[in-house]
């Protein structure tokens, strides 16, 4: 392949040329703490939660994949709109999330069960080390837009997070961003 540019709109997250993936509440229902609230939203139009737009890069060792993600503002019950979250299928691969717009949180968990939460804000560049799962949430009132760079062969393992969840949830309580224990957390 030859060197080439994509063009990223910092304010909308559009990446061109790119391939867009859409995720609605129905796609993240199993990851939500309040599945009943998720079901109600699905019955009421199944709103768009986030989009990811991937640059066309071969998924092979040596290449760098990159994409933007746009998480819309909203909540399922009291839990902020979130991404599915994943380990990389090739677990020893890191990633960088560079925040362009909005406010959010990045929750990560190591394979030993360490859990860390970082703030995302315009110009924050969060480093996700190898072997840490990762999920993002929009805690603000504007879209949360970030740019991701990762080894192109990393892949996604969604099932571990779908089954286990994270030790912590990020919710709105009394108008504040609040971290609580996840009562539905499962240890495998
Ligand atoms: C990101 C994520 C993107 C969407 O590109 O894939 O933000 O999140 P989910 O994949 O959890 O739905 C990334 O971490 N790639 O490895
Ligand atoms: Zn990733």
């Amino acid at each position: 392949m030859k060197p080439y540019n994509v063009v990223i709109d910092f304010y909308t997250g559009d990446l061109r040329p790119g391939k867009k993936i859409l995720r609605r509440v129905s796609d993240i229902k199993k990851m939500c703490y309040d599945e009943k609230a998720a079901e109600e939203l699905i019955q009421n139009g199944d709103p768009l939660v986030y989009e990811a737009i991937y640059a066309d890069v071969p998924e092979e060792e040596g290449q760098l994949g990159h994409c933007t993600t746009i998480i819309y503002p909203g909540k399922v019950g009291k839990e902020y709109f979130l991404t599915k979250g994943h380990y990389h299928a090739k677990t020893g691969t890191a990633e960088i999330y560079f925040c362009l717009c909005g406010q959010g949180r990045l929750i990560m968990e190591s394979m030993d069960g360490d859990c860390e939460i970082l703030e995302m804000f315009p110009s924050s560049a969060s480093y996700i080390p190898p072997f840490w799962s990762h999920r993002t949430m929009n805690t603000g009132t504007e879209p949360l837009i970030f740019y991701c760079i990762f080894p192109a062969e990393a892949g996604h393992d969604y099932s571990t997070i779908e089954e286990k969840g994270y030790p912590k949830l990020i919710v709105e309580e009394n108008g504040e961003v609040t971290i609580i224990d996840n009562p539905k957390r499962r240890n495998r």
Side-chain angles (χ1 to χ4, degrees):
M1 68 184 286
K2 293 207 176 198
Y4 75 103
N5 278 341
V6 296
V7 178
I8 297 170
D9 185 323
F10 279 24
Y11 302 101
T12 65
D14 198 21
L15 180 154
R16 284 180 196 217
K19 191 177 156 220
K20 191 182 279 193
I21 290 176
L22 302 180
R23 300 280 188 223
R24 298 184 175 279
V25 174
S26 51
D27 298 305
I28 59 156
K29 182 182 158 188
K30 287 189 197 143
M31 286 78 177
C32 294
Y33 162 65
D34 189 343
E35 284 194 49
K36 206 171 144 228
E39 191 50 47
E40 274 169 28
L41 284 170
I42 294 165
Q43 297 308 324
N44 285 305
D46 197 10
L48 187 59
V49 177
Y50 64 100
E51 303 174 35
I53 310 173
Y54 291 89
D56 185 17
V57 174
E59 290 176 12
E60 57 192 34
E61 213 170 312
Q63 305 275 7
L64 286 175
H66 56 130
C67 72
T68 51
T69 303
I70 303 120
I71 310 180
Y72 292 98
K75 282 175 288 169
V76 176
K78 60 181 187 173
E79 188 175 24
Y80 294 102
F81 273 6
L82 45 76
T83 55
K84 284 159 82 94
H86 58 272
Y87 282 98
H88 289 160
K90 188 171 175 185
T91 45
T93 50
E95 181 156 5
I96 289 173
Y97 282 180
F98 182 66
C99 181
L100 304 175
C101 267
Q103 300 291 328
R105 296 289 187 281
L106 166 60
I107 187 166
M108 292 160 282
E109 189 178 9
S110 74
M111 288 182 151
D112 303 330
D114 284 348
C115 182
E116 294 283 338
I117 298 169
L118 292 178
E119 282 193 40
M120 296 176 78
F121 50 87
S123 298
S124 65
S126 306
Y127 188 71
I128 302 161
F131 305 105
W132 286 68
S133 69
H134 37 289
R135 164 184 285 166
T136 43
M137 280 128 299
N138 183 345
T139 55
T141 52
E142 306 291 325
L144 171 68
I145 301 173
F146 55 98
Y147 176 58
C148 317
I149 308 173
F150 51 90
E153 79 279 16
H156 296 96
D157 160 19
Y158 290 110
S159 59
T160 308
I161 299 300
E162 187 176 318
E163 286 166 32
K164 250 174 101 165
Y166 277 92
K168 302 284 178 190
L169 300 177
I170 295 154
V171 299
E172 187 180 88
E173 272 180 6
N174 304 318
E176 300 282 333
V177 179
T178 308
I179 299 169
I180 60 169
D181 287 335
N182 179 4
K184 283 187 170 174
R185 162 73 169 190
R186 274 187 227 126
N187 289 308
R188 296 202 314 167

